[in-house]
Amino acid sequence: MTTTHASRSDQERTLLASIPAGLLIDGQWRPASDNGVLPVTDPATGEVLLEIASATPQDGADALAAAAAAQRRWARVPARDRGEILRRAYEAVVARTEDFALIMTLEMGKTLAESRAEVAYAAEFLRWFSQEATRIDGRYSVAPDGNSRLLVTKKPVGPALLITPWNFPLAMATRKIGPALAAGCTVILKPAALTPLTALLFSQVLIEAGVPDGVVNTIPTRHAGAVTGPLIADPRLRKLSFTGSTEVGQRLLKDAADQVLRISMELGGNAPLIVFDDADLDTAVNGAMLAKFRNNGEACTAANRILVQEGIAPAFTERFVARVKELTLARGTDPDATVGPVIDQDTLDKVADLVADAVQHGATLAAGGHTLDRPGYFHEPTVLTNVPATARVMREEIFGPVAPIVTFSTEQEALELANSTEFGLVGYAFTSDLNRGLRVAEDLEVGMLGLNSGLVSNPAAPFGGVKHSGLGREGGREGIEEYLETTYVGIANPYQSADL
Ligand code: NAD
């Protein structure tokens, strides 16, 4: 099943040869039931990196059968032991940082520095939830009328289907698997078809860390809907956690209604980044660079619209454009690269179309603006100024290294512009006025706000959105609740027949 290239470095070839290329079902690696394969390509070259097994609906059914069979046993494993397994997985991921970073860069395109940062972030979910496993508790109380006793406990929701996107191949898996395993749920992981290699390597690490057979089942596939549809319709599945586009999330929400599945949805974004006149200029420029160009701009949290108040706009734009011009677009494995290729031809075409549309509507190209004429999917880091509200780039998720800048005059206008979207994942505000920052925090329709910060992702914090950006939270104390069910036992007054 392996396809590697002589042009690759020894390190790359050795790593690719070590990736388990099968499906993980009930603790065994196996080929697809129809021997079908999924080629995984390198966005920096367009070359096939590896061909792996592509799950069929039959494989999906086997994965669910394994997860359902293992559920009761896994739920009874002491929380401390479940936590210890996650802790060992954390240690193993950190120890293999370079392998995980390289495989992510090869299949997703981001720079090695970005991939290393993702490994650190992703591993923290395992450490955080290794600790949360032991803090699942309940309560015993006396009802207000003094009669009934109320016993409230938490138990795992049950087998969970976890569907992840390609842009953070490791972190999106650990952000779901960490809390699911900590809570005592078994899982079926369906990674994105574009970046399944990281998920396969991670699954192997989980097995080595002591995850019992059937508790984690990993099924990459070319046929996402055909494989996951029957699972979502099956009453043995009790939870669906999805991270991806709003469009697919909405479809899955409808499908999940039939079984009244527990749902977590982490969907698309259209983040506003607001720079007020009273902002510290360096902080704002640094924050905007991070919020826009982290992960090649391919992040649900990426600043999609940069709104700058008129007084600071000339200075901000000049510095921001100068910084963007310093970025180096190259293969992610190139040590000089600060921005890598986007994930595929469709994404490259979409980003180029958005830039062309904005220019057609009157925007000014202040930096970049072009695709590179070479193999792979490279788009220059780009800044657009004077972008009119009618440009598509203001409404659609860009998912690429393009920064549109718009000016505003009042706080009220900024908030109206920022909220004029169906999305509500994250926003960013730069101001040195604390009260203004707090007003923005209260009035912006988002699940998360970066205040004088271009980065909000933190394993100890509840990540998630409002409006079309999703339902539920991942990470923080809230993250494990998504995988827990509350049970209440009503108990008769123990004193009612006592002769006291
Ligand atoms: P996508 O919706 O195309 O795919 C996401 C996952 O769903 C993949 O595993 C894909 O194979 C699977 N999928 C696609 N169609 C399916 C179907 N019919 N049935 C079942 N599964 C299906 O999204 P993507 O392009 O992989 O990721 C980019 C999107 O993800 C962006 O919109 C981004 O904002 C969003 N995202 C959100 C968050 C968040 O936490 N809110 C994080 C990362 C990415």
Side-chain angles (χ1 to χ4, degrees), residues 164 166 175 190 228 242-245 266-268 300 397 463:
T164 53
W166 50 263
R175 201 165 78 173
K190 208 299 286 168
T228 60
F242 172 81
T243 298
S245 61
E266 298 285 353
L267 307 178
C300 53
E397 194 176 23
F463 188 105

Side-chain angles (χ1 to χ4, degrees), residues 393-407:
V393 78
M394 299 304 288
R395 299 188 305 275
E396 296 180 27
E397 194 176 23
I398 303 169
F399 243 62
V402 176
I405 299 181
V406 177
T407 55

Side-chain angles (χ1 to χ4, degrees), residues 309-350:
Q309 201 161 12
E310 283 160 354
I312 200 172
F316 174 87
T317 306
E318 189 189 331
R319 286 236 209 146
F320 184 71
V321 168
R323 287 281 298 278
V324 172
K325 286 182 174 166
E326 284 168 10
L327 294 172
T328 304
L329 176 62
R331 276 172 83 154
T333 47
D334 184 329
D336 295 331
T338 48
V339 177
V342 296
I343 187 73
D344 60 9
Q345 187 67 46
D346 286 352
T347 304
L348 187 65
D349 291 345
K350 182 188 167 184

